[in-house]
Amino acid sequence: MDQQTANILLELGAVLLFLDAPANFNFGIDCFSWRTGPNFKGLKLIPPGQHFVYYSSVATAAGGETAGIRSGFWLDLKPRQVVVKRWNPAMEDVFDDAEMDAEDTERHRINFRDFDRFLGVYPLLPTDSDPVSPYEKWLRLTTHITLAIAKRILPKSGKISAMSCVSRFSDVDDARGEFRSRGRDQTEISGADTAASTGSSSRQHQNEEAGKVEVLRLEFTPIDIKRSFPSGASGAERTKYSIDKSYLLRKVLKDHFKDYKELLGELQLSFVLFLIGEVYDGYEQWKVLVHLLCQSDEAIDDLGSTLFYEFIEILIKQLEAHPSDFFMDALSSDNFVRANILLLTRSMSDRTNPAPGNLHEALEALLSFVDSRFQWDVRRDARFAELEEDADDGEYAPTIA
């Protein structure tokens, strides 16, 4: 961090006091997490803007350490703002703001510098193993997430929990597997001994039965990807728009968003909820939006240089996000991403109307990235699919008498 940036953050950086946190506790903000020490009291020099703070307990057994269920809260920090949170050991979560003593909280807010030597520094610098800093990763993943989008989708309290978050997917009886993070790199914060899902339907039932855990509702935009044709459509229209989701995409944009950037913001927030918050319903909404965008051939004519171009840029950043067993388990169990990139690639090559040049460049960058990172040779897949279609339509294709 250069001196100018340090001076700006010293002047404008926000502070999070996180009081009474247990030692040996997983604590993270945005794209980085630590194991807390006995003197941990929070973080300082936090850049103004939106952030996701999360935490989980750590259990030690003969087989090693196991992380507990991840919980956290979303923050929109103003310059020089001081936020005070306090750990509730009985609930193994932070107290609600309304449960905290207002005078005590205000006293800590005014005298926050008393805790300065016990505060970790927000991770602005790259680590030894990664040239991209955690803050830069966070900015790349949240370019289109506005405060309005976060307020619309997240619970009013801003709280997020892998156990108690529910959404429109919570009533879907599916066969999703159990995905758990098997641990991220833990890095101690130096100085002063400080270190700074399962199926949703069953989860919601358990929460309500227990009567002790707040059910946190995520208000994702309702999109029925299986019904993508107009009401009263002819047989030909039903066939066309069941394959090409352009009608549904345009309707979703018209009915639910002021502009296409808001849809991309929901795509990003869904991904962050899944990748960092470990909320599986976030993955479900992300899948729906990826399906919708990769299968809307006709809409590329008028949205290719804007929505689709920015979508591909976002998808690359999401797929190159920091390593996560949780994410990779999901990709390997339900590899819809490769299939959808193939559909988008074939759509771009088979077009009657040429796609914008910047979109071709973005797609080539995506194909090169997934080939290098995941060994997905989508270009080869597209060639094979084209050869198979040519064979089906050729001289020796089967005929119907």
Side-chain angles (χ1 to χ4, degrees):
M1 177 168 46
D2 58 70
Q3 191 59 48
Q4 182 180 6
T5 303
N7 291 339
I8 291 173
L9 284 175
L10 283 170
E11 174 63 23
L12 301 178
V15 172
L16 169 64
L17 296 183
F18 199 96
L19 306 178
D20 299 335
N24 198 35
F25 177 72
N26 284 337
F27 177 89
I29 184 169
D30 303 338
C31 292
F32 209 69
S33 62
W34 306 266
R35 186 70 60 82
T36 60
N39 294 329
F40 173 73
K41 301 297 181 185
L43 293 176
K44 60 184 176 180
L45 303 185
I46 307 174
Q50 296 185 83
H51 298 278
F52 177 37
V53 177
Y54 49 95
Y55 36 81
S56 62
S57 60
V58 179
T60 303
E65 294 183 340
T66 303
I69 294 172
R70 180 165 290 184
S71 298
F73 49 86
W74 196 267
L75 286 176
D76 178 54
L77 294 175
K78 306 297 186 291
R80 294 181 291 274
Q81 184 176 358
V82 179
V83 174
V84 181
K85 298 288 184 179
R86 186 179 293 277
W87 185 252
N88 181 345
M91 296 298 294
E92 293 191 343
D93 204 344
V94 295
F95 281 102
D96 289 337
D97 291 344
E99 297 174 322
M100 296 172 60
D101 183 275
E103 291 185 6
D104 191 48
T105 298
E106 184 61 22
R107 178 171 56 83
H108 287 315
R109 186 176 290 118
I110 294 172
N111 300 313
F112 72 92
R113 295 193 185 280
D114 293 346
F115 298 95
D116 191 71
R117 63 194 181 98
F118 303 118
L119 300 178
V121 176
Y122 182 91
L124 286 159
L125 297 177
T127 64
D128 293 338
S129 59
D130 193 339
V132 182
S133 73
Y135 182 49
E136 180 61 26
K137 290 178 182 178
W138 175 250
L139 293 179
R140 291 179 181 182
L141 292 176
T142 58
T143 53
H144 289 67
I145 302 177
T146 65
L147 183 58
I149 291 171
K151 284 185 174 181
R152 175 175 64 83
I153 294 175
L154 299 177
K156 185 176 293 187
S157 64
K159 292 176 66 176
I160 298 165
S161 170
M163 179 179 69
S164 54
C165 276
V166 299
S167 74
R168 69 188 189 91
F169 299 103
S170 300
D171 298 325
V172 177
D173 183 17
D174 61 13
R176 72 181 61 166
E178 302 237 352
F179 294 93
R180 289 184 52 81
S181 171
R182 290 196 289 270
R184 294 181 173 82
D185 291 339
Q186 304 282 335
T187 303
E188 294 181 358
I189 299 178
S190 60
D193 290 328
T194 305
S197 282
T198 61
S200 298
S201 53
S202 61
R203 181 172 69 242
Q204 182 176 11
H205 175 73
Q206 292 168 357
N207 292 341
E208 292 171 347
E209 286 292 314
K212 296 179 181 179
V213 180
E214 177 187 6
V215 176
L216 305 170
R217 185 81 189 178
L218 300 170
E219 297 294 346
F220 293 126
T221 300
I223 302 171
D224 186 355
I225 202 73
K226 295 180 179 179
R227 186 178 177 83
S228 55
F229 46 84
S231 178
S234 65
E237 288 176 325
R238 288 171 68 99
T239 300
K240 172 181 172 59
Y241 289 118
S242 291
I243 299 170
D244 181 348
K245 308 296 182 183
S246 295
Y247 169 80
L248 178 60
L249 174 59
R250 290 179 176 127
K251 181 172 174 55
V252 167
L253 287 170
K254 178 182 177 182
D255 293 350
H256 298 285
F257 300 102
K258 294 179 181 177
D259 60 43
Y260 73 87
K261 290 183 181 291
E262 289 190 349
L263 183 148
L264 294 176
E266 181 160 340
L267 175 83
Q268 288 186 320
L269 183 55
S270 301
F271 184 81
V272 166
L273 287 172
F274 167 67
L275 181 72
I276 302 177
E278 301 188 353
V279 176
Y280 200 87
D281 284 17
Y283 181 63
E284 294 286 7
Q285 183 69 356
W286 184 67
K287 278 173 51 177
V288 167
L289 292 169
V290 171
H291 276 298
L292 180 63
L293 289 163
C294 287
Q295 298 180 31
S296 292
D297 182 10
E298 186 182 84
I300 293 176
D301 289 343
D302 52 309
L303 295 169
S305 62
T306 53
L307 170 60
F308 289 92
Y309 173 75
E310 292 181 40
F311 161 64
I312 292 176
E313 287 196 319
I314 287 171
L315 186 59
I316 292 173
K317 294 297 185 292
Q318 291 177 335
L319 294 178
E320 72 180 7
H322 60 84
S324 166
D325 291 340
F326 192 55
F327 178 47
M328 296 310 297
D329 283 353
L331 276 185
S332 61
S333 71
D334 182 16
N335 196 357
F336 79 99
V337 177
R338 180 172 181 168
N340 273 279
I341 293 174
L342 173 59
L343 289 172
L344 181 59
T345 302
R346 299 204 61 210
S347 175
M348 289 281 289
S349 63
D350 296 341
R351 302 191 57 72
T352 302
N353 299 321
N358 67 340
L359 186 56
H360 277 290
E361 292 174 3
L363 181 62
E364 281 301 311
L366 173 62
L367 297 180
S368 296
F369 171 76
V370 297
D371 189 9
S372 172
R373 181 67 177 271
F374 304 113
Q375 290 74 56
W376 297 348
D377 192 344
V378 179
R379 296 184 183 93
R380 181 197 59 196
D381 296 344
R383 289 194 299 269
F384 283 168
E386 185 176 350
L387 289 173
E388 288 177 358
E389 281 193 359
D390 290 343
D392 290 342
D393 295 336
E395 178 181 356
Y396 298 103
T399 59
I400 299 175

